[in-house]
Each structure stands twice: as C-alpha cells, then as structure tokens.
Amino acid sequence: MFNLNIWRHDTDCTVQLAWGERQQLSASLKYPAKLIQSYQSWQQCYRRAYPVLTRGRGENFSFTPSQLDWKHQTEKAEKVLLDDFDRWLGGAELLAMRQKIQQEAQRSNSSVELLVACDSMDLVRLPWEAWQLVANLRISRTLLDAGEESVLVEPKLRKGAPRILVILGNSSELNLQEDRKILRVLKKVAQVECIQFEGRQKAEGRRQKDKEPDSPTTYHLPPTTCHLITEFRQQINNAIADERGWDMLIFAGHSQEMKLTGGTIELAPQVFLSISEIESALLQAKERGLQVAIFNSCSGLSIAESLIKLGFPQVLVMREAIHDGVAQVFLKQLCQSLVAYRDLQQAMFDACRYCESEKLSYPSAYLIPSLFRHPGFQKELFQFERSYWKRWWRDWQPSRREAIAFGATVFVSLVFPVQELLFELRTFTQAFYRDFTYQLPSNPQPPVLLVSVDQESLNQAKETIEEFETQPIDRSYLGQLVNRLGELKVKTAGIDYILDEPKSEEKQESLRKAIHSTVAEVGTWLVFAVNHRKQLEVLPQIAQMSWSFGGDTEFFSWNVQFPEDATCNQKCPFAYSLALAYTLNRGENLPSQLQPRLENKGEFQQEVSAYLQEEEQLIASLAKQVNSPLGLRSIIDFSLPRQQIYQQVPAKDFFTGTFPQIQEQVVIIAAGGYDKAEDTFSMPLALRYWCQVENSPPKYNSPCHEFFTGGEAHAYMVHHLLSQHQVRAIPHWWVIGIAALWGKGVTLLLLQQPQQQRRQWGKGLVMATAISGIVSLQVYISSLLLIPWLLPSVVFIVYLAPVLRKKNYG
C-alpha cells in the first residue's frame, strides 16, 4: 500500500509517496492555474447538466432551459479537466514516484492500493480516482490529520449476521421510496433496518412560498410536528447507538457541507441534523462494530472528514451535488456488487464504471463518488463474506478470554489429581443429595460378604499359630479361612491375596489341602488374585487353573474393570471373574464339565469361555455391561453406603459367626487394613459422609475407618456387576466443549438483544445453571449417568459474563 500526501503552499505543492517501513520519495511541483480553471469550468457544466432535483441544500442549481446542450458541454469540460489533471501528475517531477508504483504493480499479482491525502479542499475536490497510472491501481482517500489518538480504536468485528442501518431523510422532494426498494437486495446478506421521519407533514405541515416567485421555499411546522421531529432526532440517536451494533450505516437524502458541524443531513423540510450532534452515538456505534458509512447524498466531503476523524475505518460519500436519479442508479449498482461479495472499493468502482458506460444519460457521474479510509486501519476493505462457514467461524471463533477459559478448564480436567478431586467432590455431593432426598434403595441383603483380615484378627491368630507371618499372609491361617468356606458350603469365593511366593512347605501344604477339600467336597468356584502386568500368578503347588479362575486385581481411578469380551476369553478382572462365577453357579442345567473338578486337565477359564460364546444368554446381564456406549467408563458408586453393598465381618468373627444367607453371596477374603497391608487407600469423602450419618445417631454398628481397602473396592464392583448398577461417567472435556458451544450460542443470541433484556436473560441463565446442577444430581440417580457440572458451569459463566456486563461487547 502506498500513501500519496500533497501539501499546497499557494501555487506550489509538496508531494510525498510513502510505503513500507519509513520509505518515501518527495518532490515539489507547481499547482497550475489552468487546472483550477478546468475544474471550475467542469463543475459549472456538471451542475447545469442535471435538472433541479439534486440531493443537496447548497447553492440554487435551478435548471433554466437553454439552447446549450449542457450534457455535451459537461463531457467536453470533463475531458479538458482530466487531460490537465494527467498532465500535472505526469510531469518529470513525479517520475520516480510513478515508476515506483508501476514497478510494484508489475510485481504484484493483485491490485495496488494508493491512499491520497491532501491538505487543501481544492486538491481534495479533484478526481483522483480517475488517475489511470496502471490498470490495477485502486485509489481511495484519507486525511493527513486523522484526529486524536483516543479515537484510533479499531472497531471490533460484530458477532452474528451483518446488520445495516438505513436512514432515509427528507422525502418531500426526493423519491426515497425507490432507494428503499433498491436497498432490499441487501437483505440477501444482512439484516436491514430502515428508519425515516413519518410525521403528519401532509396533514399538519404547510408549505408557504414567499410572494416573490424566485424566493426559496420555507416551511412552517406546527408544534405537533416539532414534537415529532424532536422524537425522531432521539430515535436516530438511539438507533445508531443500538447496543447490538451495526456493520454498515447508509444515509439517503439531502446533505450539505458544513465545516463547523462536520456536515449536515436533512431529516424533514428545513429540519437538519449535524454530524456533531450525533457524534457520541456514532462513537458508540463504532465501538460496537460499525465499519462503514455510506452517504448517498450531495456534497459529503465535510461528513467524510468528520467521520474519519472520529475513527471510522471506511466512509463513502459524493464530493459534488448528485441528481436523485443518478444517486439511485449508483446505489443500485453498488448494492448489487456488495451482494456479489465484492469489497466496498470494488463495488464503488463497479458502480462508477456503469455510470461511465452510460455517459449520455449520466455525464461525469462516475467522477463524483469517493471512498475515504482511516490511515490508522490497514485492514482489508469491508465486504460481505461469501462462505457460510467463514461467516460461521467469524461469529463462533472464541475470543482470547474464551479460548483461555476453555483451554485451561480442559487441561485442568485432564490432570489426574484434579480428576480425583472432582470425583471426590461429586460423589460426596451425590451422597448428600441421596440422603437429603431419601433416595436410598431399600435395604436388601448385600450380595457380597467381605471377610476382612484386620489387625485384631492377626493378633488373635498369632496366639495359636507358630511362626505366624504377616507379610505375605500366613498360609496356614489362610487355609483355616478356606476350610471355613467349605464348612459354610460357600458356592463362590475369591481370595484377594496373590499367592505367588513359596513359603513354609508345611503351611503351604495345609493351604493346598484346604483348597482341594473345599473344591472337591463343596464344588466351590474359587477366584484367585493375579496381576498380569507384573506377571504374578498363584503357585501351581497351591491351586491349578484347570479348576479355578485367576482374576486381575489391578484397577484404575475407581473404575469398574471389565474384560475385553464378556466370556473372559483372555484376561479377566478379579471382580468380574467373581460375578461371572456367581452367575454360572446359579444357572440351571450347567454341564458337568463346567463344574470345578480337581481331575480337570484343560484350562478351566478357557473351557468356560468357549462354552459361553455359544450360550452367551447365560450371562446376558453381564455381557450388556461390557460393551459401554461411546466407550464411557463405569465408576464405583460411592454415593451408596457400604452397608448396602457388602456385609463386612472381621476374619476372627468369620470362624464363629452364623451367616444364613452366605450361599447366596459372593465371599471375598481380603486384607482389612492391618499395619503391613499394601492395598489400602484414603477413605473417599462420600464414605466418610455415610460413616458420620450412620453413627450420629448410630444406625449400624460400624466404626469409621480412615482407610479404604482394595477388597472393599472389589466388593463394590461385584455388587454393581450383579445388580447391573452401572454408573457411566461422561468425560469432563465433552461437557466442557458442549458448555462452550452453548455459552457461545447464547452469547450470540444475547448480543441481538437490548442491554436491559440481556440482564434479565442473564439472571435466568445463572439460575438455570444452578438448577442444572440439581438436575445432574438427579440424572445420576435416575439414569446412572454422571454428567460433570462444576467446570462446564465455570466455562459457561465465563463465556456469558462479558456480554452481560459490558454494553460494547463483541
């Protein structure tokens, strides 16, 4: 882009061509008197070439019939003016500047931009756009002094569909209804709102002419009309400053130059509005996204200068008086080009070229329009965006604040400690909500009996067993517990100890005999703990996989563990193995080869899997839980108290207690949190809450522990699998993304509303956000679906806050 700056000093001119980083050429040349005379002669012919109906209120350009053909005279004067103008700019003084522009034009595949700025109104009035130095040169205007730095704030791009405000002025002498019809074409690409004074002029206003026939027309407006005009002035002011913002402002009607007030427009007969009167509204409109002002009216140089000084990026005006019919032809061609997605300058050139091609009808009309651009805004010229997706992206593209909020919350939600904290808080809140709303299930018989080897049980065992070992668990003590399983005729049991280390042969033999005896005499389905990742399995000297199951005890982040397939063809989690064994144990007509028998030779788990692949209906309740929709993880539901999940008994009491329902339960023998136990965790907040509730006043004789064991976690998983209580957790980033989209959509909707209505909606949306938290708690219970609420709500409020707080957002 080049800047051509011209200063006039009497009959001398200083010309400067600037580009890039402080690169420039300067020259001096005379301002020829002949050029001044050519312009004045052309202007006189041009004004006489059209009838009286112009869009100005300056001099009285009344048309007097004459034998002279003023259109032909205008064409001749135009040629003289352009020849003198080209001769002035084509001298040797500006050769270096012309060559520089021509070199850039040859090097560039696109058009070359030239911004012309003059310090003299005589220079400004010259037809700079007609300088045909190179074919792809696009000339627009600017100011040498563009105003205060305080207004050099680039308008923010509006969100949502483009909006255009059309102001129609005094229509008593102009056919502005035709302008209104022409402007309808813009509705294809934008929302168009039109305002026009519709006072009762015909009924109440009266136009009186003075006695002298040549005297100007005067209007005497009654008080009622004066009141309406005052209201209309305020209406225009409010419309321009609309909180929703505008992209383009179009005025059609009478206007005139007025240096002191920045130009004036005529609203009604003899009722004028100056640019200075609406300066505040225009500044607000610019801050809210107004980029373009088009004045399809006469003598708009003062208007253009004042608007550029207010910081408007682009202003299109007519430098001279323009006939009503010509203005409409220009406007029609301009709108058609804009709707064809051409930029504003190209649209103006298209309209000018059309007028030039119709010289016989519109002499010199193509020389009148000028586009002024603010020198501080080197952005692309305004144009309606062709691509729906580009417009969509412009509207939906997150702001810096929104992007930071979205990115930060997604990142935080993926950090494991934060995930754990959010899970803890949510399950705690869920437990409180269940208790407060009395939505606990009825108190059925827990499907799991958890035999906890706690410190008291170990202390008691040390008194009777010689050389008692705590780590790893004493094999003979474990054998006693297995023998008790046989005595109670337990059908399904799991041992949550990895028996991979050889110990005292005597104690190991006692455990082996207890296991063999229980399997042979009772037919108990036993599941032994293994760890596939660490390759830890039960010793063959203790148990064989030909008549027992191995279940992987590892789990991650309180997730219910599932196998790759429902029949456990390969690896199988510990809790799922227990649930599978329990389900098969309760089945009818199970083939004898699927019973745990010591004489079995093949791998028992593989035989069971092969059979279930053909008879999968036997475990239909488990199979449908394995294939989770959308890969959602299933979580342990700590909002249910432990007493509804499992019956817990210390190992020392297991030897002497009575358990009438034990054959209908899954029994798990596991560490109960003794000193050297490895699989202990801190107590989840939800279970701490239930512990406080149950002991104040006491509902169960259950002490509150500070730890939570792996055996208890497996008990929860077994319960969920058998009762089909599968709580699916939606990932945080899913809901954060939905909240961001929802927040952006609501923001775009609110931006179309007045500020007062925005605040009313905002209060409702904040309340709706709070209510959605309660809804998510209920959905958890009713639909077994955990929908994150906290971080998505933060994102939604962050997206919403600016548009509710600031009037000039977006």
Side-chain angles (χ1 to χ4, degrees), residues 32-77:
K34 186 178 180 182
L35 181 59
I36 301 175
Q37 295 170 0
S38 298
Y39 170 77
Q40 292 173 346
S41 176
W42 167 83
Q43 185 184 54
Q44 184 180 19
C45 293
Y46 167 75
R47 293 181 175 183
R48 291 177 178 270
Y50 292 94
V52 67
L53 197 58
T54 61
R55 295 193 170 189
R57 289 295 185 190
E59 301 173 38
N60 184 9
F61 304 126
S62 59
F63 177 70
T64 303
S66 171
Q67 294 180 351
L68 282 177
D69 183 352
W70 285 110
K71 290 188 176 181
H72 179 65
Q73 294 298 323
T74 301
E75 186 175 351
K76 289 171 57 179

Side-chain angles (χ1 to χ4, degrees), residues 453-464:
V453 182
D454 57 6
Q455 190 62 48
E456 291 185 13
S457 299
L458 294 180
N459 293 339
Q460 188 182 80
K462 288 177 182 179
E463 298 176 0
T464 57

Side-chain angles (χ1 to χ4, degrees), residues 259-291:
K259 189 71 175 177
L260 293 178
T261 60
T264 60
I265 59 177
E266 187 173 11
L267 305 180
Q270 297 300 309
V271 178
F272 300 94
L273 181 68
S274 67
I275 298 300
S276 61
E277 289 180 275
I278 55 174
E279 180 178 313
S280 176
L282 289 168
L283 284 172
Q284 292 180 60
K286 188 201 71 171
E287 292 173 1
R288 292 167 180 160
L290 182 58
Q291 303 177 61

Side-chain angles (χ1 to χ4, degrees), residues 206-210 216-220 270:
R206 53 190 180 88
R207 184 177 63 183
Q208 296 182 350
K209 293 187 177 180
D210 291 346
T217 301
T218 59
Y219 294 85
H220 300 276
Q270 297 300 309

Side-chain angles (χ1 to χ4, degrees), residues 77 90 94 157 194 367 456 473 486 543 553 560 614 663:
L94 303 184
L157 287 177
C194 183
L367 297 177
E456 291 185 13
I473 187 66
T553 55
V560 178
E614 299 180 358
Q663 295 184 18

